[in-house]
Coordinates of all heavy atoms in Angstrom, one line a residue:
M1 N 105.6 121.4 113.3 CA 104.9 120.3 112.6 C 104.2 119.4 113.6 O 104.7 119.1 114.7 CB 105.9 119.5 111.8 CG 105.4 118.5 110.8 SD 105.2 116.8 111.3 CE 106.7 116.5 112.0
K2 N 103.0 119.1 113.3 CA 102.1 118.4 114.2 C 101.6 117.2 113.5 O 101.2 117.3 112.3 CB 100.9 119.3 114.6 CG 99.9 118.5 115.5 CD 98.8 119.4 115.9 CE 97.7 118.7 116.6 NZ 96.5 119.5 116.8
V3 N 101.5 116.0 114.0 CA 100.9 114.8 113.5 C 99.6 114.5 114.2 O 99.6 114.5 115.5 CB 101.9 113.6 113.6 CG1 101.2 112.3 113.1 CG2 103.2 113.9 112.8
L17 N 97.9 116.2 97.7 CA 99.3 115.8 98.0 C 99.6 114.4 97.4 O 100.6 114.2 96.8 CB 99.4 115.7 99.5 CG 100.7 115.1 100.1 CD1 101.9 116.0 99.7 CD2 100.7 115.0 101.6
V47 N 97.9 112.6 109.4 CA 98.5 113.7 108.6 C 99.5 114.4 109.4 O 99.4 114.5 110.6 CB 97.4 114.6 108.1 CG1 96.5 113.9 107.1 CG2 96.6 115.1 109.2
A48 N 100.5 115.0 108.6 CA 101.5 115.9 109.2 C 101.1 117.3 108.7 O 100.9 117.5 107.6 CB 102.8 115.5 108.8
V49 N 100.9 118.2 109.7 CA 100.5 119.6 109.3 C 101.5 120.5 109.8 O 101.9 120.5 110.9 CB 99.1 119.8 110.0 CG1 98.6 121.2 109.7 CG2 98.0 118.8 109.6
E50 N 101.8 121.5 108.9 CA 102.7 122.5 109.2 C 102.0 123.8 108.8 O 101.8 124.0 107.5 CB 104.0 122.4 108.5 CG 105.2 123.2 109.0 CD 106.6 122.6 108.6 OE1 107.1 121.7 109.2 OE2 106.9 123.1 107.5
V54 N 98.8 120.5 104.9 CA 99.1 119.2 105.1 C 100.4 118.9 104.3 O 100.4 119.1 103.0 CB 97.9 118.2 104.5 CG1 98.4 116.8 104.5 CG2 96.7 118.5 105.5
V55 N 101.4 118.4 104.9 CA 102.7 118.2 104.3 C 103.0 116.7 104.2 O 104.1 116.3 103.6 CB 103.8 119.0 104.9 CG1 103.7 120.4 104.9 CG2 104.0 118.6 106.4
G56 N 102.3 115.9 104.8 CA 102.5 114.4 104.8 C 101.2 113.6 105.2 O 100.4 114.2 105.9
I57 N 101.2 112.4 104.8 CA 100.1 111.5 105.1 C 100.7 110.1 105.3 O 101.6 109.7 104.6 CB 99.0 111.5 104.1 CG1 97.9 110.6 104.5 CG2 99.4 111.3 102.7 CD1 96.6 110.6 103.7
M58 N 100.1 109.3 106.1 CA 100.4 107.9 106.3 C 99.1 107.2 106.6 O 98.3 107.6 107.4 CB 101.4 107.7 107.5 CG 101.8 106.3 107.6 SD 103.4 106.2 108.4 CE 103.9 104.6 107.8
I72 N 102.9 106.0 102.6 CA 103.4 107.2 103.3 C 103.7 108.2 102.1 O 104.3 107.8 101.1 CB 104.6 107.0 104.2 CG1 105.0 108.3 105.0 CG2 105.7 106.4 103.5 CD1 105.9 108.1 106.1
A73 N 103.3 109.5 102.3 CA 103.6 110.5 101.2 C 104.0 111.7 101.9 O 103.2 112.1 102.8 CB 102.5 110.6 100.3
V74 N 105.1 112.4 101.5 CA 105.5 113.7 102.1 C 105.6 114.6 100.9 O 106.3 114.3 99.9 CB 106.7 113.6 102.8 CG1 107.2 114.9 103.3 CG2 106.5 112.6 104.0
H75 N 105.1 115.8 101.0 CA 105.3 116.9 100.1 C 106.7 117.0 99.7 O 107.6 117.1 100.6 CB 104.7 118.3 100.6 CG 104.6 119.3 99.5 ND1 105.6 119.9 99.0 CD2 103.4 119.8 99.0 CE1 105.2 120.8 98.1 NE2 103.8 120.7 98.1
H77 N 108.6 119.5 98.8 CA 109.3 120.7 99.5 C 109.6 120.4 101.0 O 110.3 121.2 101.6 CB 108.5 122.0 99.3 CG 108.4 122.4 97.9 ND1 107.2 122.7 97.3 CD2 109.3 122.5 96.9 CE1 107.4 123.0 96.0 NE2 108.7 122.9 95.8
H78 N 109.0 119.3 101.6 CA 109.2 119.0 103.0 C 109.8 117.7 103.2 O 109.9 117.3 104.4 CB 107.9 119.1 103.6 CG 107.1 120.5 103.6 ND1 107.4 121.4 104.5 CD2 106.3 120.9 102.7 CE1 106.7 122.4 104.2 NE2 106.0 122.2 103.1
Q79 N 110.4 117.0 102.1 CA 111.0 115.7 102.3 C 112.4 116.0 102.9 O 113.0 117.0 102.9 CB 111.1 115.0 101.0 CG 109.8 114.6 100.5 CD 109.8 113.9 99.1 OE1 110.9 113.8 98.5 NE2 108.7 113.5 98.7
R80 N 112.9 115.0 103.6 CA 114.2 114.9 104.3 C 114.3 115.9 105.5 O 115.3 116.4 105.8 CB 115.4 115.1 103.4 CG 115.3 114.1 102.2 CD 116.6 114.0 101.5 NE 116.6 113.0 100.4 CZ 116.5 111.7 100.5 NH1 116.4 111.1 101.7 NH2 116.5 110.9 99.4
Q81 N 113.0 116.1 106.1 CA 113.0 116.9 107.3 C 112.5 116.3 108.5 O 112.0 116.9 109.5 CB 112.1 118.2 107.0 CG 112.7 119.1 105.9 CD 111.8 120.2 105.5 OE1 110.9 120.6 106.3 NE2 112.0 120.8 104.4
G82 N 112.4 114.9 108.4 CA 111.8 114.2 109.5 C 110.4 113.9 109.6 O 109.9 113.3 110.6
I83 N 109.7 114.4 108.6 CA 108.2 114.3 108.6 C 107.8 112.8 108.5 O 107.0 112.3 109.2 CB 107.6 115.2 107.5 CG1 107.8 116.6 107.9 CG2 106.1 114.8 107.3 CD1 107.4 117.6 106.8
G84 N 108.4 112.1 107.5 CA 108.2 110.7 107.4 C 108.4 109.8 108.6 O 107.6 109.1 109.0
K85 N 109.6 110.1 109.3 CA 109.8 109.4 110.5 C 108.8 109.8 111.6 O 108.4 108.9 112.3 CB 111.3 109.9 111.0 CG 112.4 109.2 110.2 CD 113.7 109.6 110.7 CE 114.8 109.0 109.8 NZ 116.1 109.3 110.3
A86 N 108.4 111.0 111.7 CA 107.4 111.4 112.7 C 106.1 110.6 112.5 O 105.4 110.2 113.4 CB 107.2 112.9 112.7
L87 N 105.7 110.5 111.2 CA 104.4 109.8 110.9 C 104.6 108.4 111.2 O 103.7 107.7 111.8 CB 104.1 109.9 109.4 CG 103.6 111.3 108.9 CD1 103.7 111.5 107.4 CD2 102.1 111.5 109.4
I88 N 105.7 107.7 110.9 CA 105.9 106.3 111.2 C 105.9 106.1 112.7 O 105.2 105.2 113.2 CB 107.2 105.8 110.6 CG1 107.1 105.8 109.1 CG2 107.7 104.4 111.1 CD1 108.5 105.7 108.4
Q89 N 106.6 106.9 113.4 CA 106.6 106.8 114.9 C 105.3 107.0 115.5 O 104.9 106.3 116.5 CB 107.6 107.7 115.5 CG 109.1 107.3 115.2 CD 110.2 108.3 115.4 OE1 109.8 109.5 115.5 NE2 111.4 107.9 115.5
S90 N 104.5 107.9 115.0 CA 103.1 108.2 115.5 C 102.2 107.1 115.2 O 101.4 106.6 116.2 CB 102.6 109.5 114.9 OG 103.2 110.6 115.3
L117 N 114.2 104.1 104.6 CA 113.7 104.9 105.7 C 113.2 104.1 106.9 O 113.6 104.4 108.0 CB 112.5 105.8 105.2 CG 111.7 106.6 106.3 CD1 112.6 107.6 107.0 CD2 110.5 107.2 105.6

Side-chain angles (χ1 to χ4, degrees):
M1 192 258 317
K2 177 183 172 188
V3 175
L17 173 65
V47 293
V49 180
E50 198 165 271
V54 174
V55 295
I57 178 173
M58 181 154 205
I72 187 169
V74 175
H75 190 287
H77 295 129
H78 296 273
Q79 291 177 358
R80 304 201 183 286
Q81 296 176 18
I83 293 169
K85 287 181 180 182
L87 285 163
I88 292 167
Q89 290 166 339
S90 293
L117 170 63

